[in-house]
Amino acid sequence: MPGPTTALPITIRGLTKKFGSLHALDSVDLDVKSGEFLTLLGPSGSGKTTLLMAIAGFNRPDSGSILFGEKEMILAPPHLREVGMVFQNYALFPHMSVAENVAFPLKLRKIAKAECEQRVEEALNTVQLSELGNRRIDQLSGGQRQRVALARAFVFQPRILLMDEPLSALDKKLREQMQIELKHLHRKLGVTTVYVTHDQREALTMSDRIAVINHGRLQQVDTPEVIYNQPANSFVADFIGESTMLPLKTEENNQLYFDHILVDSVPDQKSSQDWMLVVRPERLFPLSQESIDSDQHLIFKGKVIESVYQGETAFAQVSISEDHQLTVRFGTDASARKFLLEPGDSMELGLNRKDIILIPR
Ligand code: ATP
């Protein structure tokens, strides 16, 4: 399957969409690079679909600009935007065969019959459905329907592909398999892709970059590694991955403390804001008898509240002060089993200073 002639970047500036007094999109600026896989990630009602539909041309924003390459698209109707679209419910034509569904965008574009047949065959090959061209849609499994919807979205070689929660109807195992297939397909086609999901693991798995959105505003746009390791604020830290946030006190010399534990220096000494320490459960580790270097580690002492075995990992909730508790996640190999303690037992936890994440409070 040949890729699109050229992938296009998308440049969004000041995009605002109101429904009554609700700002579904609040002055959104976003650059989607040519050929990248960018995921819009946010909770229900955060504005993901509204933003995707604005890019597709299915809703009209109140103000702002959407460029495809150099071309302003904000007033262009959907059919002139030439984007491929995959919907949550697939929106396939039930009375048509698999091949007829995939051929539909080519017929709309009046592509000659022979070329149409060849492109449908290539598209079905790409999504591994070449044997099923004559089947009716209602004779397909969920995963197969999903592949038909995909083939139909890219068969006309769009330069932009938009997907709105395309895997949400599939069970967990198939969803995970399709995530990898979609990633391969994207690499093969090289098409600029904007993908919507509320599933943070899916976003981390698939994306070149993730745009985290809440209440119609972008919170952070960056690679999965940066979003996970350097969240910009408490919303991002909380929404992506598990985390505990501990409020810190700023003492003289700009030193940050949790209780009497010296955590770090204030990262931005010009600002007078308060800071929080974000702790990921898998970055903590239970301490055994042997001592560790306290210059390189923070050490928290506490009492186990709950300890849970989950197969490949286990976790414990540990109370470290009257108001705060930490969750620690650890492996369950033979040497780690001794950390599966009873409620009330004492436990010490280490955190390498390299794993310290500070965010403004
Ligand atoms: P979900 O994950 O649940 O699909 P979302 O992040 O895609 O959510 P949107 O569908 O973009 O969210 O909706 C953003 C906000 O705008 C929500 O508060 C929603 O209720 C509101 N909204 C969306 N469409 C309309 C509409 N046609 N009329 C009124 N309000 C709307």
Side-chain angles (χ1 to χ4, degrees), residues 29-85:
D29 293 338
L30 177 65
D31 292 290
V32 189
K33 296 176 200 163
S34 178
E36 88 170 321
F37 194 117
L38 180 126
T39 297
L40 297 175
L41 173 68
S44 182
S46 55
K48 306 180 294 292
T49 299
T50 307
L51 181 51
L52 199 76
M53 292 302 157
I55 299 172
F58 292 122
N59 71 33
R60 175 74 56 85
D62 300 312
S63 56
S65 157
I66 302 176
L67 300 180
F68 289 179
E70 307 278 293
K71 206 166 163 200
E72 179 57 70
M73 284 290 163
I74 197 85
L75 296 175
H79 69 276
L80 294 184
R81 298 195 187 197
E82 287 289 296
V83 299
M85 181 94 206

Side-chain angles (χ1 to χ4, degrees), residues 17 34 37 44 70 184 218 287 321 337 349 359:
K17 172 77 182 168
S34 178
F37 194 117
S44 182
E70 307 278 293
H184 282 320
L218 290 185
L287 295 178
S321 75
R337 268 181 225 138
L349 300 172
I359 53 167

Side-chain angles (χ1 to χ4, degrees), residues 94-109:
H95 56 284
M96 292 185 193
S97 70
V98 166
E100 285 166 341
N101 264 278
V102 178
F104 188 77
L106 301 175
K107 291 212 167 119
L108 273 186
R109 288 167 179 80

Side-chain angles (χ1 to χ4, degrees), residues 48-265:
K48 306 180 294 292
T49 299
T50 307
L51 181 51
L52 199 76
M53 292 302 157
I55 299 172
F58 292 122
N59 71 33
R60 175 74 56 85
D62 300 312
S63 56
S65 157
I66 302 176
L67 300 180
F68 289 179
E70 307 278 293
K71 206 166 163 200
E72 179 57 70
M73 284 290 163
I74 197 85
L75 296 175
H79 69 276
L80 294 184
R81 298 195 187 197
E82 287 289 296
V83 299
M85 181 94 206
V86 183
F87 298 92
Q88 189 167 7
N89 58 4
Y90 315 144
L92 296 170
F93 305 113
H95 56 284
M96 292 185 193
S97 70
V98 166
E100 285 166 341
N101 264 278
V102 178
F104 188 77
L106 301 175
K107 291 212 167 119
L108 273 186
R109 288 167 179 80
K110 308 213 171 351
I111 306 283
K113 194 162 175 252
E115 187 183 344
C116 184
E117 280 171 7
Q118 189 199 338
R119 286 224 226 154
V120 169
E121 196 184 314
E122 282 173 359
L124 288 179
N125 245 329
T126 304
V127 295
Q128 296 159 30
L129 285 183
S130 36
E131 308 297 310
L132 300 184
N134 294 324
R135 283 263 186 99
R136 279 204 326 265
I137 297 299
D138 59 7
Q139 295 170 325
L140 299 180
S141 72
Q144 289 166 336
R145 286 176 204 206
Q146 213 286 326
R147 290 194 181 100
V148 179
L150 255 177
R152 190 181 60 177
F154 68 73
V155 70
F156 63 98
Q157 299 174 354
R159 294 191 285 175
I160 291 170
L161 191 56
L162 306 177
M163 299 194 236
D164 193 358
E165 306 236 11
L167 306 182
S168 59
L170 306 179
D171 64 45
K172 184 167 178 286
K173 203 161 174 197
L174 187 55
R175 198 161 69 229
E176 287 171 358
Q177 182 191 329
M178 288 301 297
Q179 287 169 0
I180 304 299
E181 282 187 25
L182 272 180
K183 217 172 138 107
H184 282 320
L185 184 67
H186 171 257
R187 202 165 289 148
K188 195 164 170 181
L189 298 174
V191 58
T192 308
T193 301
V194 183
Y195 185 94
V196 162
T197 184
H198 62 268
D199 179 340
Q200 44 109 6
R201 186 159 292 280
E202 187 163 294
L204 290 170
T205 305
M206 302 182 72
S207 321
D208 293 320
R209 289 190 307 150
I210 300 173
V212 184
I213 185 169
N214 192 30
H215 295 311
R217 291 198 192 151
L218 290 185
Q219 305 291 314
Q220 187 171 11
V221 185
D222 220 313
T223 59
E225 290 81 1
V226 172
I227 295 265
Y228 189 77
N229 292 312
Q230 296 159 44
N233 56 38
S234 57
F235 177 80
V236 178
D238 192 39
F239 193 68
I240 291 153
E242 292 175 84
S243 60
T244 308
M245 286 176 234
L246 301 176
L248 302 177
K249 266 197 312 238
T250 310
E251 304 277 343
E252 63 254 28
N253 300 332
N254 287 311
Q255 300 296 297
L256 293 171
Y257 280 84
F258 173 73
D259 273 356
H260 56 281
I261 304 171
L262 172 60
V263 173
D264 207 345
S265 321

